[in-house]
């Protein structure tokens, strides 16, 4: 196993470095490295690591949501208004619906499996979008109508909506039949998870305040305690999800939003910086292990139909983005920028794309293949377009 870890770290760093030289997202290099050293090509990774891939993906997803929560300001939603709320769920739901209707025509799968595929593909990528929006905010680009803030807030909640829907549709497909009552669990899940997450955030802030007054606690201990709290929230989901609708991921996000409201900005910067550095390690294992799970022969077979489906659903998603911001005074350039920013897919697809396959679903390999093709197509496309045209499209 130690040799496998060394291979993953060394080759992933080299792959990321090479793709950054090409001005392309580094996660593409990590993904291709995973394909190369995985069991379907060179078979250089120990099977024991692949068995733990699902848990590693969950850890990476926790880090993503912690970072996203720290980047969200509820005041941005209030100032932007209607567009921020619509961008949080309309584009993702439109794309998910498009997959639900079109995937059975392309691949002959059931509508439930198509909805599951759509819930994997509907999220925008925090790894591509978040750092670029933060840079634009610091440069005061698009600040008059808060375009980067709109995308940052909307995309963060977009991911959460998709993850909740993914959990719901995964349960529907595994049960073997469609139940309308299962979908009614979605609002219950959102409400219960938000309440628990906000409460956990308040509790952690109070413990943080009390400990800082009574005894010196090193910053690293505080960061690790926060990470442990997030692991506990995930454990609550695993323990009680079969008895009560609850999403640990959404609870984690809301806990971070609550911390953002109560903790001074300097402290938040420290927490955010720590988890940003932790993400450097997490993204390596996330994308390499996803690439290692991909059967290249199956991707080739699914290739052209999958690319056609991805293209059609992205078109529908782009129309939904344009609709969401059409009545808010945005210029055509700003609307085009928002459309481009909502194209990239990478992080969430890498984190959950392999779950249906690990769960033993017949469509699992197909869903993973479509997710990988989506990453390879949209992540470099979105990143290149954002880097090249953001200064021209935003004032």
């Amino acid at each position: 196993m130690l040799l496998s870890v060394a291979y993953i770290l060394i080759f992933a760093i080299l792959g990321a470095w090479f793709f950054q030289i090409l001005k392309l997202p580094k996660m593409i290099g990590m993904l291709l490295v995973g394909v190369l050293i995985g069991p379907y090509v060179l078979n250089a990774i120990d099977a024991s690591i692949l068995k733990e891939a699902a848990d590693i993906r969950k850890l990476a997803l926790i880090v993503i949501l912690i970072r996203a929560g720290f980047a969200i300001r509820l005041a941005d939603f209030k100032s932007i208004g209607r567009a921020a709320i619509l961008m949080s769920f309309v584009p993702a739901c439109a794309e998910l619906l498009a997959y639900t209707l079109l995937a059975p025509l392309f691949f002959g799968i059931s509508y439930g499996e198509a909805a599951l595929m759509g819930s994997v593909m509907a999220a925008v990528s925090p790894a591509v979008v978040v750092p670029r929006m933060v840079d634009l905010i610091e440069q005061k680009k698009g600040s008059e109508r808060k375009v980067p803030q709109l995308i940052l807030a909307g995309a963060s909640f977009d991911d959460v909506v998709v993850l909740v829907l993914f959990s719901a549709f995964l349960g529907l497909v595994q049960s073997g039949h469609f139940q309308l009552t299962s979908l009614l669990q979605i609002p219950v899940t959102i409400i219960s998870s938000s309440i628990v997450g906000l409460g956990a955030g308040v509790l952690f802030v109070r413990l943080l305040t009390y400990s800082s007054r009574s005894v010196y606690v090193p910053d690293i201990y505080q960061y690790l305690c926060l990470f442990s709290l997030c692991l506990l929230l995930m454990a609550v989901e695993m323990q009680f999800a079969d008895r009560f609708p609850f999403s640990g991921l959404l609870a984690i996000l809301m806990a971070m939003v609550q911390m953002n409201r109560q903790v001074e900005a300097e402290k938040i910067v420290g927490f955010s910086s720590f988890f940003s550095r932790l993400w450097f390690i997490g993204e390596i294992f996330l994308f390499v292990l996803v690439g290692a799970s991909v059967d290249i022969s199956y991707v080739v077979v699914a290739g052209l139909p999958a690319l056609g489906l991805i293209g059609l659903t992205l078109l529908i998603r782009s129309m939904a983005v344009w609709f969401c911001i059409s009545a808010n005074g945005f210029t055509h350039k700003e609307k085009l920028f928002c459309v481009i920013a909502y194209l990239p897919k990478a992080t969430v697809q890498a984190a959950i794309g392999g779950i249906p396959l690990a769960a033993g679903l017949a469509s699992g390999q197909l869903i993973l293949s479509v997710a990988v093709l989506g990453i390879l197509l949209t992540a470099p496309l979105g990143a290149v377009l954002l880097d090249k045209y953001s200064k021209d499209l935003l004032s």
Side-chain angles (χ1 to χ4, degrees), residues 214-293:
S214 59
V215 65
Y216 171 71
V217 179
D219 289 342
I220 186 64
Y221 287 178
Q222 298 177 22
Y223 305 153
L224 293 176
C225 284
L226 179 60
F227 191 63
S228 299
L229 171 67
C230 296
L231 294 178
L232 287 174
L233 290 173
M234 290 298 296
V236 169
E237 176 184 350
M238 296 175 62
Q239 185 70 27
F240 299 104
D242 57 337
R243 284 169 275 178
F244 187 76
F246 179 78
S247 170
L249 295 174
L250 179 54
I252 290 169
L253 183 80
M254 296 310 297
M256 299 308 105
V257 171
Q258 183 62 30
M259 282 188 62
N260 240 346
R261 295 177 59 191
Q262 294 186 281
V263 179
E264 60 271 18
E266 183 179 352
K267 199 74 173 177
I268 290 295
V269 170
F271 277 96
S272 182
S273 177
F274 171 78
F275 285 101
S276 294
R277 292 194 296 270
L278 188 61
W279 171 241
F280 282 119
I281 302 173
E283 69 175 340
I284 287 176
F285 284 92
L286 175 61
F287 287 102
V288 171
L289 291 177
V290 166
S293 302

Side-chain angles (χ1 to χ4, degrees), residues 58-236:
K58 285 184 180 180
L59 292 174
L61 199 54
I62 289 173
V63 177
I64 293 169
L65 287 176
I66 291 174
R67 295 182 65 208
F70 284 142
I72 292 176
R73 302 289 187 273
L74 293 181
D76 291 338
F77 272 86
K78 296 178 181 179
S79 62
I80 299 169
R82 170 182 173 271
I85 297 174
L86 292 178
M87 290 283 277
S88 298
F89 70 95
V90 171
C93 290
E95 186 174 5
L96 193 156
L97 180 61
Y99 271 99
T100 304
L101 297 177
L102 295 176
L105 302 178
F106 278 77
F107 300 110
I109 59 178
S110 68
Y111 286 109
E113 292 170 321
L116 183 61
M117 178 187 293
S119 64
V120 170
M121 296 299 296
V124 69
S125 170
V128 177
V129 173
V130 169
R132 286 169 171 81
M133 295 307 109
V134 171
D135 289 342
L136 290 173
I137 291 172
E138 293 175 350
Q139 298 169 21
K140 301 188 184 304
K141 285 288 184 179
S143 59
E144 182 179 351
R145 276 179 286 271
K146 298 185 183 299
V147 178
Q149 289 89 336
L150 164 67
I151 294 170
L152 188 62
S156 298
F157 276 93
D158 167 283
D159 292 345
V160 173
V161 170
V162 169
L163 290 170
V164 172
L165 291 172
F166 171 78
S167 299
F169 286 121
L170 180 62
L172 292 175
V173 174
Q174 286 179 318
S175 67
H177 57 280
F178 184 85
Q179 292 180 337
L180 183 60
T181 54
S182 298
L183 293 180
L184 298 179
Q185 294 181 357
I186 295 176
V188 178
T189 301
I190 294 175
I191 294 172
S192 64
S193 306
S194 299
I195 292 174
V196 173
L198 291 173
V202 171
L203 177 62
F204 183 79
V205 171
R206 289 187 178 180
L207 290 174
L208 196 65
T209 304
Y210 174 77
S211 63
S212 62
R213 291 175 180 173
S214 59
V215 65
Y216 171 71
V217 179
D219 289 342
I220 186 64
Y221 287 178
Q222 298 177 22
Y223 305 153
L224 293 176
C225 284
L226 179 60
F227 191 63
S228 299
L229 171 67
C230 296
L231 294 178
L232 287 174
L233 290 173
M234 290 298 296
V236 169

